[in-house]
């Protein structure tokens, strides 16, 4: 067979392989995507296909005259026509829509995009468009098919029916935890290894528990994190009773105070690591030296306990952990309906750098976590604020934002805990259920 014959026969095969490679990956991503992401992928594709025609109709074009070299090499005798340029775009879809990335052309900058923003939204079939310029010469357009504050975003840890998707022990302390999505659809994340302490407040049925679920579920799946949960109402601790390192559901502050003292003793023990590694804080965690996540729900139950001596003892230990614990690898998260001055003193509250406020009753309640709240465009003292919406300012954010919590119901937390028990065993069994009055009477009669 001649070389020409070989080339002619091989060419279709090579071309077919190239085409398959070009389309197989996007197709695989499409079929693996959620229904919402599929909708965004389709919308982004339509936007790209119609973009040239739209730009020509909207006057978003620039005529580029032929260059000197093109004129010198033109031997046809015909006048060279100007080349029509349009702003090039590439798109990246997301669950809320897609982002179009473009370059500015001469005389077509951000202001020109802004003038026809509504027309672009109509052409792309989206509800709104956010425009910004990340750097000179570039323009980004975020197109929204769904409003992030209206969309329920399921957790990445489970399927829609609650089946676990993440292998126990596969996460690490430095894995980002997406707690919420802002009103612009940007993830609001917490990284336990790189952050400090935090606080979450909100009235009953405001969505506080869902946010806490996400924090605790990720921590439970981390191989180098010890979870300590104190909760007098059993709301936060119940799913993790079998898997957490330490749990406590005492009503009085005696047991919680002892747990805080034990954590302080561990902090003292870890001082030796400072000398050995010549550092002023612990940043590397392992099963041998784990990060300790201490979550205290309804903290006001202990700080405002009727016995003032017991309440003061708890407050003193809590303040010591809040002020010194971060550098020893302790992360403290305090929860409550309102974290007012009678609940947390200024010294303790100052150390809570990540703050989330779901709906509260009054502006004063909001100001406890956000002292500059009166100057903000957003606040949580809004009785019409839907469940799951809150104001968030986690470490690294410059401005508090409205955001919706990732949806992880308590029932799904139980399935995650079941998977952890199946893989790693349980730390302790669930408490035996209390007998009903009828059962107690029958037992006494027997």
């Amino acid at each position: 067979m001649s070389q020409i014959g070989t080339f002619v026969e091989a060419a279709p095969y090579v071309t077919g392989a190239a085409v398959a490679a070009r389309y197989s990956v996007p197709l695989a991503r499409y079929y693996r995507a959620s229904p919402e992401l599929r909708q965004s992928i389709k919308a982004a594709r339509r936007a790209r296909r119609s973009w040239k025609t739209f730009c020509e109709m909207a006057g978003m074009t620039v005529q580029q005259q032929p260059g000197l070299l093109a004129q010198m090499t033109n031997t046809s005798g015909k006048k060279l026509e100007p080349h029509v340029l349009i702003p090039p775009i590439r798109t990246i879809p997301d669950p809320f829509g897609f982002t179009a990335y473009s370059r500015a052309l001469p005389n077509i900058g951000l202001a020109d995009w802004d003038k026809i923003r509504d027309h672009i939204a109509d052409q792309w079939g989206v509800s709104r468009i956010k425009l910004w310029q990340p750097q000179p010469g570039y323009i980004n357009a975020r197109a929204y098919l769904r409003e992030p504050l209206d969309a329920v975003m399921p957790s990445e840890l489970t399927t829609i029916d609650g089946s676990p998707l993440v292998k126990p022990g596969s996460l690490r302390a430095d894995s980002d935890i997406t707690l919420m999505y802002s009103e612009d659809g940007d993830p609001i994340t917490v990284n336990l290894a790189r952050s400090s302490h935090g606080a979450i407040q909100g009235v009953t049925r405001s969505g506080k528990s869902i946010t806490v679920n996400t924090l605790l579920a990720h921590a439970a799946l981390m191989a180098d994190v010890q979870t300590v949960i104190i909760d007098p109402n059993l709301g936060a601790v119940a799913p993790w009773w079998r898997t957490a390192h330490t749990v406590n559901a005492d009503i009085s502050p005696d047991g919680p105070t002892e747990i805080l003292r034990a954590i302080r003793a561990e902090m003292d023990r870890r001082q030796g690591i400072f000398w050995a590694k010549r550092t002023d804080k612990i940043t590397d965690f392992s099963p041998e030296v784990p990060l300790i996540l201490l979550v205290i729900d309804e903290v006001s139950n202990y700080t405002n306990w009727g016995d003032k001596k017991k309440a003061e003892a708890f407050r003193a230990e809590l303040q010591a952990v809040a002020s010194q614990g971060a550098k020893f690898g302790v992360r403290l998260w305090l929860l409550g309906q309102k974290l007012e001055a009678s609940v947390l003193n200024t010294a303790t509250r100052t150390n809570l750098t990540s703050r989330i406020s779901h709906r509260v009753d009054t502006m004063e309640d909001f100001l406890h976590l956000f002292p500059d709240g009166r100057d903000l465009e957003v606040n949580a003292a809004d009785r019409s604020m839907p469940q799951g919406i809150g104001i968030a300012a986690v470490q690294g954010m410059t401005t508090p934002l409205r955001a919706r919590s990732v949806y992880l119901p308590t029932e799904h937390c139980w399935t995650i805990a079941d998977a952890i028990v199946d893989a790693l065993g349980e730390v302790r069994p669930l408490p035996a259920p209390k007998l009903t009055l009828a059962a107690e009477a029958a037992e006494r009669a027997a």
Side-chain angles (χ1 to χ4, degrees):
M1 183 179 293
S2 67
Q3 291 181 350
I4 294 178
T6 303
F7 173 79
V8 171
E9 291 180 2
Y13 174 78
V14 174
T15 303
V19 170
R22 178 180 179 183
Y23 291 104
S24 61
V25 173
L27 282 174
R29 289 176 180 170
Y30 178 81
Y31 285 110
R32 291 175 183 173
S34 65
E36 295 80 10
L37 187 54
R38 288 186 185 183
Q39 185 182 8
S40 298
I41 292 172
K42 290 179 180 178
R45 187 183 300 124
R46 288 194 301 268
R48 292 195 306 271
R49 288 176 176 174
S50 62
W51 182 240
K52 181 177 182 296
T53 301
F54 171 77
C55 287
E56 292 172 346
M57 295 176 60
M60 292 272 287
T61 61
V62 173
Q63 290 191 349
Q64 184 181 49
Q65 297 298 329
L68 180 61
L69 180 61
Q71 296 179 26
M72 292 176 61
T73 56
N74 179 24
T75 59
S76 65
K78 297 181 180 180
K79 181 181 178 181
L80 295 178
E81 297 294 331
H83 182 56
V84 178
L85 301 178
I86 66 169
I89 62 169
R90 64 182 181 88
T91 58
I92 296 181
D94 60 68
F96 305 108
F98 60 90
T99 302
Y101 300 88
S102 181
R103 293 196 305 273
L105 296 180
N107 300 319
I108 300 181
L110 183 63
D112 300 283
W113 282 68
D114 190 51
K115 289 178 183 177
I116 61 169
R117 181 202 303 256
D118 293 340
H119 298 297
I120 297 175
D122 291 340
Q123 176 67 23
W124 288 353
V126 298
S127 60
R128 68 180 173 98
I129 290 178
K130 176 187 176 183
L131 296 172
W132 75 98
Q133 199 161 11
Q135 62 186 59
Y138 292 87
I139 296 171
N140 293 351
R142 184 75 180 273
Y144 294 91
L145 288 169
R146 300 191 301 156
E147 287 297 331
L149 293 186
D150 297 334
V152 176
M153 292 299 297
S155 172
E156 62 186 0
L157 301 180
T158 63
T159 62
I160 194 169
D161 64 352
S163 301
L165 291 174
V166 178
K167 182 180 178 182
S170 61
L171 300 183
R172 310 284 298 183
D174 59 0
S175 301
D176 286 342
I177 302 173
T178 300
L179 288 178
M180 313 177 84
Y181 282 92
S182 75
E183 56 191 330
D184 286 331
D186 299 320
I188 294 178
T189 61
V190 169
N191 188 294
L192 294 178
R194 295 194 290 269
S195 66
S196 184
H197 309 311
I200 304 174
Q201 72 172 6
V203 298
T204 303
R205 301 199 62 77
S206 64
K208 172 169 59 73
S209 297
I210 296 297
T211 307
V212 176
N213 284 348
T214 300
L215 176 69
L216 288 173
H218 278 81
L221 293 165
M222 293 177 176
D224 51 355
V225 171
Q226 277 187 2
T227 307
V228 179
I229 311 173
I230 300 173
D231 175 15
N233 292 335
L234 287 174
V237 72
W240 316 110
W241 191 274
R242 296 169 297 165
T243 61
H245 180 269
T246 304
V247 295
N248 184 280
D250 290 352
I251 301 298
S252 76
D254 295 337
T257 302
E258 288 304 316
I259 290 175
L260 289 171
R261 287 175 178 149
I263 290 177
R264 287 193 64 194
E266 174 64 13
M267 289 162 51
D268 292 340
R269 188 188 69 81
R270 290 187 176 190
Q271 287 188 10
I273 298 177
F274 288 2
W275 302 105
K277 294 191 175 183
R278 299 185 179 185
T279 183
D280 61 348
K281 60 182 178 181
I282 299 175
T283 56
D284 297 325
F285 301 99
S286 65
E288 292 73 31
V289 183
L291 182 146
I292 300 173
L293 174 64
L294 170 58
V295 175
I296 305 178
D297 198 0
E298 298 299 341
V299 65
S300 62
N301 179 78
Y302 305 117
T303 57
N304 290 340
W305 187 252
D307 187 325
K308 292 186 177 181
K309 288 186 177 180
K310 292 183 178 181
E312 280 300 319
F314 179 86
R315 283 172 175 265
E317 296 298 331
L318 181 67
Q319 182 174 326
V321 171
S323 59
Q324 299 292 325
K327 65 182 179 181
F328 292 102
V330 179
R331 303 294 182 263
L332 172 67
W333 279 74
L334 302 179
L335 321 175
Q337 293 196 24
K338 54 180 180 179
L339 301 178
E340 56 189 348
S342 64
V343 176
L344 301 176
N345 58 31
T346 302
T348 300
R349 191 185 296 107
T350 301
N351 289 283
L352 307 176
T353 54
S354 294
R355 302 182 178 192
I356 298 172
S357 179
H358 289 281
R359 188 179 72 254
V360 291
D361 289 328
T362 67
M363 175 61 78
E364 285 65 32
D365 295 338
F366 178 63
L367 296 177
H368 295 315
L369 280 190
F370 295 89
D372 300 328
R374 296 189 190 277
D375 299 326
L376 300 176
E377 295 181 359
V378 295
N379 70 78
D382 181 358
R383 294 182 182 274
S384 64
M385 181 177 287
Q387 184 179 14
I389 306 295
I391 310 301
V394 303
Q395 192 162 349
M397 291 173 55
T398 57
T399 305
L401 298 173
R402 287 201 307 165
R404 175 179 281 277
S405 297
V406 171
Y407 184 63
L408 183 66
T410 301
E411 294 79 9
H412 292 194
C413 292
W414 280 97
T415 64
I416 293 173
D418 289 340
I420 295 173
V421 170
D422 291 342
L424 307 175
E426 64 181 11
V427 178
R428 68 188 62 79
L430 291 173
K434 293 182 179 179
L435 295 175
T436 63
L437 292 177
E440 288 179 352
E443 189 175 78
R444 286 195 299 269

